[in-house]
Amino acid sequence: MDWFLRTVLTAVVRQGTLQVTTAGGAVYRFGDGTGDLVAVQFKTWQAQVAVMFDPELKLGEAFMDGTFVVASGSI
């Protein structure tokens, strides 16, 4: 499932630096490397999949229940 996340974020994140740690522990960086680093982490596979398929609703829910964490920076 990481391939889908990488494909989408590569297409969407063009500026700045976003580091994503998946639920499985893989770390990926997106963007052009400018600006402050924003690092986020998915704590569960369920949260990762839910956010990929319904980000408008599930990102906020995952953040509130602690399964999506902003480790550095601000979104």
Side-chain angles (χ1 to χ4, degrees), residues 14 18 24 31 50 69 72-73:
R14 302 210 181 247
L18 174 64
V69 177
S72 174

Side-chain angles (χ1 to χ4, degrees), residues 47 50-51 54-68:
V51 169
D54 190 4
E56 290 180 7
L57 176 64
K58 298 299 182 177
L59 184 63
E61 288 180 355
F63 180 76
M64 293 301 292
D65 69 19
T67 56
F68 177 81

Side-chain angles (χ1 to χ4, degrees), residues 3-42:
W3 64 269
F4 183 74
L5 179 71
R6 285 192 327 263
T7 301
V8 170
L9 290 179
T10 297
V12 173
V13 180
R14 302 210 181 247
Q15 294 180 329
T17 307
L18 174 64
Q19 177 178 297
V20 177
T21 303
T22 67
V27 178
Y28 302 105
R29 282 200 176 199
F30 305 95
D32 62 3
T34 61
D36 295 333
L37 171 69
V38 175
V40 298
Q41 180 179 12
F42 288 100

